[in-house]
Amino acid sequence: MDHISAELLSAAVAVGGGLGVGGPVRAWIRHRTRLHLERERSARAAARAAGLARLARGQGSVRIDERDQDGHRVVELRGPAARDGEAA
């Protein structure tokens, strides 16, 4: 009978310890996931900006209507040809 009680006690301690450690582990995983998502968004934003600059450089004027999880924005870029034409 004492043997069964000891096994139950050790199982209860293991489960209780696992639950106690589980919170910080989950928080760490959430934190790492959030950092990864922010890095990915930053890389996408940099790639998008580089692409927009390349588009504006090649043409007179570029107007882009963007909708994403950050909201809605209208971006208008004017290249060198558009500025020269307006000055004349």
Side-chain angles (χ1 to χ4, degrees), residues 2 4 10 18 21 24-25 31 33 36-37 40 42 45 53 60 67 75 80 87:
D2 289 332
I4 294 173
S10 61
V21 173
V25 169
H31 171 71
T33 302
H36 179 70
L37 289 174
E40 186 177 335
S42 178
R67 292 179 195 272
V75 179

Side-chain angles (χ1 to χ4, degrees), residues 2-81:
D2 289 332
H3 181 66
I4 294 173
S5 299
E7 287 179 2
L8 287 176
L9 179 62
S10 61
V13 168
V15 169
L19 291 176
V21 173
V25 169
R26 279 194 307 266
W28 180 79
I29 290 171
R30 244 183 274 129
H31 171 71
R32 295 295 298 169
T33 302
R34 192 176 317 118
L35 285 178
H36 179 70
L37 289 174
E38 287 175 9
R39 243 184 258 129
E40 186 177 335
R41 280 188 201 128
S42 178
R44 285 182 184 178
R48 182 172 49 235
L52 291 176
R54 214 173 14 256
L55 277 173
R57 206 176 316 129
Q59 299 180 6
S61 180
V62 176
R63 183 181 174 117
I64 298 174
D65 189 359
E66 289 185 332
R67 292 179 195 272
D68 60 9
Q69 62 194 36
D70 294 336
H72 173 245
R73 70 187 74 61
V74 176
V75 179
E76 187 168 346
L77 300 172
R78 296 182 182 160

